[in-house]
Amino acid sequence: MDKKNSRIEEQLSKRALLGNKRSLSLVDKKLIDFSSNDYLGLARSEGLKNQILNSYENLADKNGSTGSRLLTGNSALATEVESELAKLFGYDACLVFNSGYTANLGFFSCLPQRGDTILYDELSHACIKDGSRLSLAKSMPFKHNDLADLERKLKLSEGEIYIVCEAVYSMDGDFAPLKALCELSEKYNAKLIVDEAHSTGVFGKNGAGLVAELELTQRVYAVIFTFGKAMGIHGACIASNQTVIDYMINYSRPFIYTTAPSPFEFLSIQQAFQFLTHHPDLAIRLKENISIFNQTLETQRPPRYLSTSAVQVVITSGNLKAKSTSKQLQEMGFDVRPILSPTVKEGEERLRICLHSFNSKNEVLGLAHALNSLLC
Ligand SMILES: Cc1ncc(COP(=O)(O)O)c(C=O)c1O
């Protein structure tokens, strides 16, 4: 063992022994996609690609943004896209970040301050937890979607209180009880923050998300939208009131100390939302596939996994079982990936199935029947 690397080599070997050592692999394009977050097929859309390339050709701008938004990285295009997004999402203002990961870091590391409290759902994405760890505020998880546990913790909270949830949970596919969370946040004068990573584009008019669909915009303090999933491109934004956005422009280190997204990226965001406006059929087709899958799958699933979102979960328990079942499915032509511990809790290892608007009815039926034969 190389002496300099001995400690980290040991840790990697331990992972290999537990069956959860990660490595990078290429996607087998021959398999039917049931694992990407490209829920509406925009990442593979020739129509959107041509639209982006045509508009890019006419753009008199630099290739790269050349600096932070606070220095040379700002542009008329960036501010135009942000004001279009704010209008779409129903908020005063919007700020674009390089990714959903940095958007959450950017928000939670700077808005909640010393003496404040962040209460986040225990199943929140790593970037919500990492952002909260960077904050000087105290942070505490509450049990997943458990309003009674949240209320107990609200009673113990100090300073300004931030409640954080995901509209659709990334590894579970279930929904946050958004209306009840609004009521509870109002009762305790807390600010509710919703991450719409897996609902952007899929729900709401023109892809404006679940908060908008449920008409809760006025009651939710800030929303994080990401563009690397159903929108088929890359990047993210935070929508809120103008003061919050001004504050982040001044204090949010993941926004300030990084090169701004390129003009191509801003243009892609603009074109992807325009494309969606003209293709409302995509979200409808996705919903049809979700309902075919749910009607056909016989594998017993706890009620919270009977979701009407694009993310469907089948618990297998154990890394080895999750890996062997996904391998069997891949041999049958379905690209389904296992989600292993420690990404999810031990005992809750699973298959995470992503349904798409472009999956044919026969493909969805085929996968559900394969799961029935492997797991029932
Ligand atoms: C709930 C949630 N928030 C944020 C992110 C990060 O977004 P991005 O991939 O754009 O960094 C993810 C990514 O999987 C996510 O699931």
Side-chain angles (χ1 to χ4, degrees):
M1 207 181 273
D2 176 351
K3 223 171 160 195
K4 274 195 224 137
N5 282 332
S6 59
R7 187 175 64 186
I8 56 177
E9 275 177 9
E10 218 171 89
Q11 288 165 349
L12 286 171
S13 310
K14 201 165 148 203
R15 277 218 159 159
L17 215 71
L18 291 171
N20 60 9
K21 184 170 174 220
R22 296 163 166 139
S23 62
L24 300 177
S25 62
L26 291 178
V27 174
D28 182 345
K29 291 195 178 142
K30 290 194 293 297
L31 300 181
I32 304 163
D33 181 0
F34 281 110
S35 66
S36 80
N37 295 322
D38 185 19
Y39 306 127
L40 298 175
L42 295 191
R44 55 169 67 199
S45 160
E46 283 295 317
L48 174 58
K49 185 175 172 180
N50 290 334
Q51 205 175 295
I52 292 171
L53 292 179
N54 287 341
S55 55
Y56 190 59
E57 247 179 21
N58 299 323
L59 185 75
D61 218 328
K62 303 182 194 89
N63 296 325
S65 69
T66 77
S68 161
R69 286 285 295 283
L70 287 176
L71 297 170
T72 55
N74 198 25
S75 63
L77 176 64
T79 51
E80 177 185 307
V81 170
E82 284 174 341
S83 65
E84 286 171 9
L85 291 172
K87 196 163 165 218
L88 170 71
F89 298 135
Y91 281 85
D92 290 352
C94 238
L95 197 62
V96 167
F97 282 75
N98 280 305
S99 70
Y101 189 93
T102 49
N104 274 309
L105 279 197
F107 185 90
F108 291 105
S109 61
C110 94
L111 264 295
Q113 297 175 18
R114 195 185 296 284
D116 293 343
T117 311
I118 306 169
L119 300 174
Y120 60 90
D121 188 287
E122 63 180 341
L123 296 190
S124 292
H125 191 266
C127 56
I128 294 172
K129 295 178 183 168
D130 293 355
S132 303
R133 274 152 90 182
L134 283 175
S135 164
L136 297 176
K138 188 170 157 193
S139 60
M140 252 189 290
F142 59 90
K143 287 193 190 130
H144 179 54
N145 278 350
D146 185 332
L147 297 169
D149 189 48
L150 173 59
E151 186 154 21
R152 260 192 304 281
K153 285 169 181 163
L154 277 164
K155 288 180 180 153
L156 302 173
S157 296
E158 291 166 351
E160 293 197 1
I161 308 170
Y162 293 77
I163 300 174
V164 197
C165 70
E166 294 177 23
V168 172
Y169 282 87
S170 57
M171 291 295 145
D172 294 65
D174 59 345
F175 296 87
L178 287 178
K179 278 191 187 146
L181 285 168
C182 281
E183 278 153 26
L184 213 47
S185 62
E186 283 153 6
K187 183 171 169 190
Y188 287 88
N189 196 23
K191 302 173 200 303
L192 180 61
I193 319 300
V194 181
D195 180 328
E196 294 246 30
H198 296 273
S199 39
T200 309
V202 175
F203 295 96
K205 190 165 175 235
N206 298 326
L210 260 181
V211 169
E213 181 166 314
L214 299 173
E215 299 180 354
L216 299 172
T217 308
Q218 299 301 321
R219 304 169 72 183
V220 175
Y221 189 65
V223 184
I224 290 91
F225 297 95
T226 70
F227 310 137
K229 303 180 196 301
M231 298 313 297
I233 46 164
H234 191 247
C237 75
I238 298 179
S240 190
N241 63 56
Q242 189 65 55
T243 312
V244 168
I245 300 302
D246 287 345
Y247 192 81
M248 284 192 292
I249 291 170
N250 278 276
Y251 291 102
S252 178
R253 297 167 72 87
F255 174 78
I256 298 167
Y257 297 107
T258 192
T259 300
S262 67
F264 184 82
E265 287 176 283
F266 277 107
L267 200 73
S268 301
I269 297 168
Q270 188 173 48
Q271 293 302 321
F273 278 100
Q274 276 182 23
F275 188 87
L276 200 58
T277 308
H278 294 113
H279 295 85
D281 53 303
L282 296 175
I284 296 169
R285 262 191 271 150
L286 170 62
K287 280 166 196 153
E288 282 165 4
N289 279 341
I290 294 167
S291 112
I292 292 169
F293 183 79
N294 275 323
Q295 281 162 24
T296 315
L297 193 71
E298 285 162 9
T299 310
Q300 289 302 312
R301 291 189 291 173
R304 88 178 171 89
Y305 293 120
L306 299 174
S307 169
T308 53
S309 80
V311 180
Q312 299 290 324
V313 167
V314 179
I315 300 287
T316 52
S317 295
N319 283 340
L320 291 180
K321 176 80 174 157
K323 277 176 29 172
S324 66
T325 314
S326 91
K327 190 158 175 276
Q328 283 171 300
L329 289 166
Q330 287 174 13
E331 283 161 5
M332 296 162 97
F334 305 109
D335 187 358
V336 171
R337 307 290 175 93
I339 306 292
L340 307 178
S341 59
T343 301
V344 290
K345 266 194 209 147
E346 226 174 285
E348 294 190 6
E349 296 83 358
R350 62 196 60 189
L351 301 172
R352 176 178 185 263
I353 295 150
C354 294
L355 298 170
H356 308 99
S357 56
F358 56 82
N359 293 133
S360 70
K361 183 177 175 188
N362 279 343
E363 289 170 349
V364 177
L365 286 172
L367 174 63
H369 288 311
L371 284 162
N372 289 343
S373 71
L374 291 173
L375 295 172
C376 280

